[in-house]
Amino acid sequence: MGDILVITEHLKGEFQDITFEMLGKAKELAGASGGQCVAVTFGSMNGKAGELGVADSVISVGGSDDFNPESYAAAVQSVVSAKSPSLVMVGSTSMGMDIANSVATALELPTVSYCMNMSASGSGFSCTSSLYGGKMNVVTDVAGSAVAMILAGAFNADAGKSPGSPSVEDFSADSGAGKVRFKQLIEPEAADVDITQSEILVAVGRGIGSKDDIELAEELAEVLDADLACSRPLVDAGWMSKAHQVGKSGMKVKPKVYIALGISGAPEHIEGMKSSSTIIAINSDKNAPIFDVAHYGMAEDLFDVVEELVEELED
Amino acid sequence: MLSPNEQIAFILLVIICGALAFQGFNRIFKTVKSGANADRSDNLIGRFITALIDVFLQKPIAKARPIVSMFHSFIFFGFSFYLLVNVNDILEAFVPGWTTIGSDNIFANLFNVFADIFSVFVLVGMVFFLYRRFVQKPKVMEFNANVKLHPGVSAGGLKKDSLIVGIFILIHVGSRWLGTAMHLAENGHTDSWLPTASIMSGMFSNWSHASLETGIHVTWWLAMGLIVMFLPYFPRSKHIHLMIAPVNLALGRRTARGAMDGITNSASPGSKTLSDLPWPQVLDSWACIMCTRCHEVCPAHESGTPLSPSALEINKRYFINEQGNGLFNGAGKTSLLEYAISEDAMWACTTCYACVEVCPVGNEPMMDILELRRNQVFDAKMPDELADVLRSLDEQGNSFNESARRRSKWSKKLDFKLKDATKEPVKYLWYVGDFASFNQNCQDTTRKVAEVLTAAGVDFGIMGKKEKSAGNDVRRVGEEGLFDVLAEQNIETIEKCEFEEIFTTDPHTFNSLKNEYPERGGNYPVKHYSTLLLELIKNGDIELKKKLDIKATYHDPCYLGRYNGIYDDPRDVMKLCGIDLVEMPRNKENSFCCGAGGGQIWLPDHDDMTQRPSENRIEEAVAVGVNNFTVACPKDMTMYADAAKTSGNEDTMAVKDIIDFVLEAMDLPEEKLTGLQDEQDN
Amino acid sequence: MKIVVPLKQVPDLVEDLEVDASGKALDTDDIKFKLNEFDDHALEEAILLKESGAADEVVAMAIDSDGADKMLFTAIAKGADKAVKLTGGNPSDSHQLGKAFANALETEGYDMVFTGVQSVDDRDGQLGPIVASYLGAPCVSVVSGVSVSGGTAVVHKEYSGGMMGEFEVDMPAVLGIQAAKKAPRYAPVSKIRQVQETASIEEVSMGDLGGGSGSNVASMAPPAKGSGAKMLDDVEDLIEVLKDKGVI
């Protein structure tokens, strides 16, 4: 049985949570199969190998500290070619997608997207993916080398956080054709609110219907002394600013209470809020995936509920 | 009695002014002709005879503002008679010795007395109108501040036109009246066939003969000269409605109100410029008398939005006048949205038909708006919310972004199964419609209809998930292509069913099925459920056991009442249930729209909206002292249920559907009501 | 500059989804399909670039299927110049789909390929980078802002927390589009119908699809309801919960 390679992800000099989530799981799987858990770091992140104590060893490919889809993918491809792992775990993230697909296609390895669960199975692995906006779970069995993209928040980050001193191997990797060049990191515009610090969030999704009706959610937010948040489609439509976006390409929030109004519960959104202590979902579709992750729910028309709620609370 | 020089001068004046007037009329003709095709040539003689009779009886104007209309009829009859008077005046001027004053001829005397009295009528009427526009200045004659107005209009053009016309009439009629008085003074005695002139002649009793003669000539020239000089002004002024209104009324639309015109140019549907409009709608610009009756009844204008059908027509005319011949040299390519109506206003129309209904000269501003929408939508220019709804209709056949398979989910709460009309023959095919199926405020009503019909043993069925929105409002927001697709698919589904009649609870659906589907190959007998309920009650299938002792008012849905003339069936149903029906002031064809039609129910309220039309209507009901507001349309149900809350009348005004009364009056035994127990307890 | 936009149809998530008899795939019998919303964004971004003068040709491309013609005519109605339909095969996963498009792209020629960043059913990987790999072209995905100058594109790649990375990409290249500058435009049905009469779709063989993803679905099922949310009956209950959690 080969090793399990974990492609670490970092931003502005810090390892992202997805790295630890994958390490924890990889360690568990490697343990069961008798292989090693190997982390791959980029640029000068090998300097922080001490944080990757869960891994048995670290491969440092060097190169740029700034993520570059082309050079990072080329580097990982060199490593995978050389090491023939039984599994390559990459984050199902903006950075991970470029790497995973490129490497897997070039090396003709099976790929599995949106993994929310994995287990060893026979000589390979069994991956459960969340598809169709969270409405279906699909199980794929892969044998031999495979590349799996892991959903952020699918596994526990704590299981992967252990200081230690894994051996670090410097690996001379391919750096790609140079057709993609990193220019700069663009910080988000200063926002009037930092929802990652909010205690209570009232989040609106497509179910709100129109920009006008967001007013209703604002009333509720005001009455609860909460901040407003939303899912990506509302930002795309220009109804709310990016500062309020919760999800994979938005903010990761962990408020005490997260009230989801008219949000269906697609994995990309869940990623951003599943760590909330209490999730209350209101959606007229009783089959909406959000109810699987929410603690409390009401399968009612959100306008009726919120109107009544605001009225009661204002008394 | 004119001197030869005077006669020559008059003839020259007639020729010059006549030529100028002809130019003006010619421009009108050319502009109207440049409009798009429309066939109004059927039964021309009948059309004109009917129009002339209607005008003579002053019927179109009497539809609103009764007192004002009375004063108008003073002027109308007076001025009509003055045609004869002017002929007489010319005879007097050119035929030596011709006069009707002091004659023994009975016709001359009758002519005199009418001329005398009508002169006063016209003067009184004119003073009233000038007083109304310049002193009383009723609010209803003002446009909302946000309405797009041609600069000429904002600069007070309407007042100027009214003043010119008013002063002209006062002088024309006034001087002729005084002239007659002077004639009498000259003759030295009064004439009982000229009562008021006789009274006035006292003023001139001590004038010398020479002064009186001068006076008579002066008043003749003031009267006749002015009217000749006025001829070229006619084509530029609203005064031309005298001639254009009867024509406009005669050539008006005779097809069903609820059937929109087809598309004339599929490469560029709808209208962008003036000449894209069908020619009768170009003619509307000249028929318009700027009376603002249309925006007085317009729910969009009343609620503060920038839409004024009156401004639309007025702006068209002002633009045409401003451009003159430039209209045919390029200015005609200017989009109507630049000068006649703003995009906002165009999207604010609820297509309630009130403006067309009330217009005394047969104008159809709403049709302009529908054509403009078609053109905009073809270029995908529409509010984002509308695009989302149209996508939903295209993808799932409903405007609620719900899976088509959930269309008959409302029926799962009933404790009996409904027949699937696509699988077995039924007597009545029930076309349920989007709102009745999906909207949570309406589903209870839909279930009650099923309950009532089942209890009455009626054989009916629904089409379930194969039914799609009939598309009435899709067509009215301008997406003709999507309407075609929906109609095609619906007709295909209906053709698979075996049934005798179709009925529906939704007047919008009813309208399209009845008036627009036949030309697409879907020709079926269609009824609104109020008609069906009435039949069933009358033939005993529905047994009404209880007389409900309730006072209620009834709101006429636009697409049932104004569009399709059905006012009595729902009222009869209510009365048979024992309801004490109290009418609101704006009832039947004057009903005030709830504000949902024309796509408004899919769009956010305009920022400038001061009060929703539906709230305004609820207040009207409160004012007549009832606690029950009755509707016969699912959109009305949801609009008014909401409006009762938002206007603060939730506890005093119950919004009911006619089916509620029928169900209650049937007094069914408990076990038949199990499907509804939950709803009734809520 | 020529932009080719591969389009894909996916099940409309508004539907109630069910597993078919095999237990491994979606029951597609009664459900409606629609254009992948990210592909719609990709098409919109391409058309916006054409309207601004940065691109001069937009080509829409799709695999032959039931709704393919309508999808392609709609693309033309929105502003695409040409539509190409790939026939003669039945791609079973993202890799075969990618291979089909890559084959066609090699014949068609391109400066840029814009495709939706992901779709709801791309179990075995995202189309953009897969196509790029077969073509040997550079790829950046999760892009939400594209501008072009000369033979290079400058793109903004979205990271989490609202951060973005700015990259320069040499053409020819592939971009996986997350969001266009504006919401995808509506195509009026009347326009689509008009296009159906005047335009024609070019048909091209999709060629060899290769071995595919190398993995197969073992089973498919809706997520176990199990714990799930505690469903509340009315607003009073909701208020109790809020009080309990210290919100009010």
Side-chain angles (χ1 to χ4, degrees):
Chain A
M1 187 52 132
D3 296 333
I4 299 185
L5 225 54
V6 172
I7 311 300
T8 65
E9 195 171 308
H10 70 270
L11 186 60
K12 294 209 281 192
E14 295 296 327
F15 283 121
Q16 301 295 283
D17 270 349
I18 180 70
T19 304
F20 300 111
E21 289 162 16
M22 289 192 291
L23 277 176
K25 191 66 183 176
K27 180 75 175 180
E28 176 200 312
L29 291 171
S33 62
Q36 296 242 311
C37 164
V38 182
V40 175
T41 65
F42 303 92
S44 62
M45 290 308 286
N46 54 352
K48 295 211 162 158
E51 287 178 28
L52 307 173
V54 162
D56 296 306
S57 60
V58 171
I59 295 177
S60 164
V61 300
S64 161
D65 274 340
D66 297 307
F67 178 79
N68 182 317
E70 193 187 39
S71 62
Y72 276 40
V76 171
Q77 190 174 321
S78 313
V79 173
V80 174
S81 280
K83 305 288 184 182
S84 296
S86 61
L87 182 69
V88 183
M89 288 174 92
V90 190
S92 180
T93 61
S94 174
M95 301 184 190
M97 275 187 192
D98 280 326
I99 298 175
N101 288 298
S102 176
V103 170
T105 310
L107 299 179
E108 290 185 356
L109 303 173
T111 327
V112 189
S113 325
Y114 318 119
C115 291
M116 50 181 280
N117 210 350
M118 283 185 77
S119 56
S121 159
S123 59
F125 299 92
S126 186
C127 314
T128 308
S129 308
S130 173
L131 296 185
Y132 300 110
K135 286 188 167 188
M136 283 293 178
N137 285 352
V138 172
V139 177
T140 311
D141 288 326
V142 285
S145 296
V147 177
M149 284 180 268
I150 311 296
L151 281 177
F155 302 125
N156 196 336
D158 289 332
K161 279 185 186 157
S162 230
S165 13
S167 59
V168 178
E169 178 195 330
D170 280 323
F171 188 95
S172 173
D174 189 11
S175 56
K179 293 190 181 167
V180 179
R181 296 172 292 281
F182 173 80
K183 302 306 290 179
Q184 58 170 327
L185 201 57
I186 301 177
E187 302 276 349
E189 281 161 21
D192 47 351
V193 64
D194 181 2
I195 58 175
T196 60
Q197 304 302 316
S198 304
E199 289 254 298
I200 311 171
L201 283 174
V202 172
V204 274
R206 264 195 262 242
I208 199 78
S210 78
K211 184 176 176 180
D212 258 14
D213 289 322
I214 295 177
E215 204 175 72
L216 189 60
E218 278 168 358
E219 280 175 40
L220 180 61
E222 211 179 313
V223 147
L224 297 176
D225 201 21
D227 289 322
L228 219 50
C230 69
S231 59
R232 191 191 45 81
L234 274 67
V235 174
D236 283 347
W239 296 356
M240 290 185 75
S241 73
K242 239 184 138 60
H244 298 272
Q245 184 181 327
V246 169
K248 184 158 102 200
S249 54
M251 310 292 162
K252 304 268 187 307
V253 299
K254 31 186 129 177
K256 237 172 44 181
V257 176
Y258 188 89
I259 303 178
L261 305 172
I263 293 180
S264 63
E268 295 82 51
H269 184 77
I270 304 292
E271 239 181 81
M273 43 66 88
K274 66 185 295 187
S275 314
S276 313
S277 311
T278 305
I279 301 170
I280 305 173
I282 305 175
N283 189 311
S284 55
D285 179 358
K286 70 179 195 298
N287 294 324
I290 190 90
F291 291 121
D292 296 328
V293 79
H295 301 97
Y296 298 93
M298 287 183 81
E300 302 285 340
D301 179 276
L302 74 93
F303 295 103
D304 288 339
V305 174
V306 176
E307 254 172 50
E308 207 187 318
L309 186 57
V310 169
E311 239 181 80
E312 295 282 331
L313 294 177
E314 272 175 351
D315 292 337
Chain B
M1 112 335 253
L2 289 185
S3 72
N5 283 344
E6 276 178 305
Q7 289 180 344
I8 292 171
F10 184 72
I11 290 172
L12 279 176
L13 189 64
V14 170
I15 290 175
I16 295 172
C17 292
L20 288 172
F22 176 78
Q23 259 189 351
F25 280 100
N26 195 28
R27 190 164 58 83
I28 295 179
F29 184 72
K30 212 172 146 190
T31 313
V32 171
K33 200 152 160 284
S34 73
N37 277 342
D39 186 10
R40 304 288 169 92
S41 61
D42 55 288
N43 189 19
L44 272 177
I45 297 184
R47 281 169 168 267
F48 273 93
I49 292 180
T50 317
L52 288 172
I53 293 177
D54 281 345
V55 167
F56 183 75
L57 295 176
Q58 291 282 275
K59 275 165 75 172
I61 196 174
K63 288 188 275 194
R65 300 182 184 171
I67 295 184
V68 172
S69 302
M70 181 189 75
F71 280 104
H72 176 270
S73 56
F74 284 4
I75 298 186
F76 168 75
F77 288 117
F79 228 72
S80 301
F81 192 77
Y82 252 64
L83 286 172
L84 208 55
V85 168
N86 290 332
V87 168
N88 175 67
D89 289 347
I90 295 194
L91 288 172
E92 256 192 25
F94 284 82
V95 175
W98 175 282
T99 181
T100 56
I101 298 173
S103 158
D104 290 324
N105 187 317
I106 184 66
F107 291 114
N109 289 331
L110 283 172
F111 169 85
N112 283 341
V113 77
F114 276 116
D116 189 84
I117 299 191
F118 277 143
S119 298
V120 174
F121 268 23
V122 173
L123 290 173
V124 166
M126 208 57 242
V127 167
F128 171 81
F129 281 115
L130 286 170
Y131 168 79
R132 183 171 151 81
R133 199 176 269 277
F134 289 95
V135 177
Q136 193 195 11
K137 295 196 261 197
K139 192 155 182 309
V140 85
M141 287 191 146
E142 285 167 28
F143 301 103
N144 288 344
N146 51 15
V147 173
K148 192 186 202 66
L149 292 175
H150 186 280
V153 176
S154 323
L158 303 188
K159 286 216 167 100
K160 195 173 83 178
D161 196 23
S162 294
L163 196 60
I164 294 176
V165 169
I167 290 182
F168 154 68
I169 292 183
L170 285 176
I171 295 180
H172 173 70
V173 173
S175 33
R176 203 215 166 261
W177 185 53
L178 288 177
T180 310
M182 287 178 198
H183 250 127
L184 287 176
E186 210 180 33
N187 288 0
H189 61 80
T190 59
D191 184 338
S192 49
W193 292 101
L194 293 163
T196 63
S198 296
I199 296 171
M200 293 308 289
S201 69
M203 263 179 28
F204 307 107
S205 51
N206 52 356
W207 281 33
S208 70
H209 181 93
S211 324
L212 285 173
E213 265 302 302
T214 314
I216 286 170
H217 278 241
V218 165
T219 52
W220 189 96
W221 273 100
L222 277 176
M224 294 309 294
L226 210 56
I227 197 171
V228 172
M229 289 199 325
F230 207 73
L231 286 176
Y233 183 69
F234 263 98
R236 298 191 64 83
S237 142
K238 68 176 187 175
H239 205 50
I240 199 181
H241 79 275
L242 325 168
M243 304 164 208
I244 306 276
V247 174
N248 207 35
L249 287 165
L251 298 177
R253 185 182 303 271
R254 294 284 185 269
T255 48
R257 288 182 167 189
M260 272 179 70
D261 292 334
I263 298 226
T264 43
N265 178 3
S266 60
S268 172
S271 303
K272 181 166 167 232
T273 68
L274 188 72
S275 54
D276 288 336
L277 292 172
W279 64 260
Q281 286 164 239
V282 179
L283 186 61
D284 284 354
S285 327
W286 281 284
C288 175
I289 45 169
M290 308 171 181
C291 69
T292 69
R293 274 169 162 83
C294 54
H295 82 202
E296 186 179 8
V297 296
C298 172
H301 193 260
E302 266 300 283
S303 57
T305 68
L307 171 57
S308 163
S310 173
L312 170 57
E313 300 293 358
I314 295 173
N315 288 337
K316 274 156 68 183
R317 161 128 97 240
Y318 267 74
F319 178 78
I320 293 171
N321 283 346
E322 181 192 32
Q323 300 302 323
N325 281 318
L327 199 64
F328 308 108
N329 295 333
K333 296 214 182 1
T334 317
S335 162
L336 285 158
L337 289 172
E338 275 180 49
Y339 62 88
I341 181 173
S342 64
E343 256 182 74
D344 265 11
M346 181 194 75
W347 286 116
C349 177
T350 67
T351 70
C352 74
Y353 213 83
C355 57
V356 182
E357 164 70 47
V358 83
C359 181
V361 297
N363 277 1
E364 302 174 311
M366 186 190 85
M367 305 311 189
D368 286 10
I369 292 174
L370 293 177
E371 290 293 318
L372 284 167
R373 284 180 174 186
R374 274 178 169 162
N375 190 269
Q376 289 289 100
V377 166
F378 190 71
D379 286 332
K381 296 202 195 101
M382 66 186 83
D384 287 335
E385 293 89 348
L386 192 55
D388 287 338
V389 167
L390 292 172
R391 259 187 274 258
S392 169
L393 282 157
D394 190 17
E395 287 165 8
Q396 296 290 346
N398 66 73
S399 57
F400 287 82
N401 205 31
E402 287 255 23
S403 165
R405 293 194 293 178
R406 291 195 181 175
R407 200 174 182 90
S408 43
K409 207 164 155 215
W410 61 269
S411 65
K412 304 284 181 262
K413 278 200 185 169
L414 298 166
D415 55 12
F416 50 86
K417 281 201 69 141
L418 297 178
K419 277 190 173 180
D420 182 345
T422 60
K423 299 217 170 87
E424 52 179 311
V426 292
K427 182 166 182 202
Y428 296 105
L429 172 58
W430 180 6
Y431 202 115
V432 188
D434 269 13
F435 267 77
S437 304
F438 288 108
N439 184 299
Q440 293 179 330
N441 286 339
C442 307
Q443 286 171 335
D444 284 348
T445 305
T446 315
R447 281 187 280 266
K448 285 180 189 168
V449 171
E451 276 280 339
V452 165
L453 294 176
T454 305
V458 175
D459 178 23
F460 69 96
I462 58 174
M463 293 185 286
K465 63 189 182 204
K466 300 226 177 63
E467 179 193 285
K468 295 184 180 213
S469 167
N472 187 71
D473 289 10
V474 168
R475 201 170 192 203
R476 278 136 190 88
V477 298
E479 235 291 34
E480 188 79 5
L482 181 55
F483 174 72
D484 284 338
V485 167
L486 288 169
E488 244 173 65
Q489 293 171 339
N490 284 322
I491 291 174
E492 211 184 292
T493 307
I494 297 175
E495 287 293 316
K496 292 201 190 109
C497 306
E498 246 186 273
F499 58 90
E500 282 176 33
E501 284 180 354
I502 299 181
F503 78 89
T504 178
T505 60
D506 190 331
H508 292 233
T509 308
F510 171 70
N511 181 67
S512 205
L513 289 178
K514 178 159 182 278
N515 298 311
E516 298 178 319
Y517 274 47
E519 69 185 348
R520 283 168 166 69
N523 206 335
Y524 316 107
V526 188
K527 284 194 170 106
H528 183 249
Y529 76 122
S530 58
T531 310
L532 179 62
L533 287 173
L534 189 60
E535 276 173 23
L536 296 170
I537 295 173
K538 284 192 173 155
N539 74 12
D541 284 344
I542 290 182
E543 260 187 82
L544 300 178
K545 303 221 179 91
K546 221 162 74 169
K547 276 265 180 265
L548 309 174
D549 194 14
I550 303 175
K551 243 170 56 163
T553 188
Y554 170 73
H555 165 82
D556 292 281
C558 302
Y559 278 91
L560 188 63
R562 247 193 308 276
Y563 269 97
N564 288 291
I566 297 179
Y567 302 110
D568 294 326
D569 290 348
R571 287 178 165 81
D572 290 344
V573 169
M574 285 169 74
K575 288 182 195 153
L576 286 169
C577 293
I579 303 290
D580 175 13
L581 186 59
V582 179
E583 296 283 1
M584 288 183 278
R586 294 178 293 188
N587 63 65
K588 300 208 178 166
E589 64 272 7
N590 296 322
S591 180
F592 189 69
C593 176
C594 75
Q600 293 315 310
I601 204 164
W602 299 323
L603 297 170
D605 289 335
H606 194 276
D607 287 336
D608 295 343
M609 189 176 271
T610 48
Q611 182 194 44
R612 296 203 182 106
S614 49
E615 290 167 354
N616 183 301
R617 189 67 159 153
I618 290 282
E619 283 173 3
E620 188 178 356
V622 170
V624 294
V626 294
N627 297 110
N628 291 291
F629 188 96
T630 320
V631 299
C633 165
K635 291 181 193 64
D636 279 336
M637 173 54 87
T638 185
M639 293 298 283
Y640 289 118
D642 196 50
K645 283 190 216 159
T646 56
S647 66
N649 290 302
E650 191 174 3
D651 297 324
T652 46
M653 186 64 71
V655 179
K656 301 247 159 128
D657 188 283
I658 53 175
I659 200 72
D660 290 322
F661 296 140
V662 173
L663 186 59
E664 223 188 305
M666 281 170 86
D667 205 17
L668 294 171
E670 280 296 302
E671 62 266 17
K672 283 208 156 185
L673 293 171
T674 42
L676 300 172
Q677 210 54 39
D678 302 318
E679 280 75 47
Q680 288 189 336
D681 284 348
N682 275 354
Chain C
M1 179 185 63
K2 176 166 158 184
I3 308 179
V4 181
V5 185
L7 302 172
K8 202 174 103 129
Q9 292 216 298
V10 294
D12 189 344
L13 291 187
V14 124
E15 302 274 8
D16 294 320
L17 300 177
E18 279 160 14
V19 182
D20 72 5
S22 74
K24 296 183 184 185
L26 211 56
D27 182 0
T28 56
D29 253 347
D30 223 359
I31 59 178
K32 303 235 173 22
F33 280 71
K34 60 189 266 192
L35 175 62
N36 175 18
E37 71 171 296
F38 296 111
D39 288 347
D40 210 358
H41 277 266
L43 180 62
E44 180 65 26
E45 187 72 6
I47 294 175
L48 286 171
L49 283 172
K50 183 176 125 175
E51 285 173 350
S52 71
D56 40 38
E57 193 187 354
V58 173
V59 177
M61 205 180 256
I63 303 290
D64 191 10
S65 71
D66 259 338
D69 281 0
K70 183 173 176 210
M71 192 168 67
L72 289 169
F73 283 125
T74 304
I76 297 180
K78 288 184 178 182
D81 299 287
K82 186 169 125 178
V84 177
K85 190 164 72 169
L86 309 187
T87 57
N90 197 4
S92 60
D93 53 35
S94 301
H95 283 80
Q96 291 201 322
L97 197 60
K99 195 77 174 68
F101 282 126
N103 294 340
L105 283 161
E106 251 151 23
T107 330
E108 175 71 29
Y110 63 95
D111 293 304
M112 287 294 243
V113 178
F114 284 7
T115 189
V117 61
Q118 66 188 80
S119 69
V120 297
D121 58 359
D122 54 2
R123 177 191 64 85
D124 64 307
Q126 287 65 51
L127 193 65
I130 290 175
V131 168
S133 183
Y134 286 134
L135 291 171
C139 172
V140 180
S141 73
V142 198
V143 166
S144 66
V146 184
S147 58
V148 174
S149 119
T152 328
V154 174
V155 306
H156 285 168
K157 181 181 167 72
E158 285 189 8
Y159 296 149
S160 60
M163 295 234 267
M164 297 209 271
E166 187 175 272
F167 292 89
E168 242 177 38
V169 187
D170 289 337
M171 297 194 252
V174 176
L175 298 179
I177 305 291
Q178 168 79 34
K181 293 181 194 70
K182 286 196 209 150
R185 66 196 64 195
Y186 177 76
V189 177
S190 0
K191 210 168 221 168
I192 300 176
R193 289 194 136 182
Q194 197 204 35
V195 163
Q196 271 168 331
E197 266 144 58
T198 52
S200 60
I201 297 177
E202 195 185 301
E203 287 188 18
V204 153
S205 160
M206 64 178 77
D208 177 33
L209 298 180
S213 66
S215 69
N216 292 311
V217 173
S219 69
M220 181 187 286
K225 285 298 166 184
S227 35
K230 180 165 190 291
M231 299 307 278
L232 308 170
D233 284 324
D234 51 38
V235 176
E236 270 75 52
D237 291 344
L238 181 55
I239 293 179
E240 282 309 305
V241 169
L242 291 174
K243 282 197 183 136
D244 189 47
K245 303 295 169 186
V247 176
I248 43 176

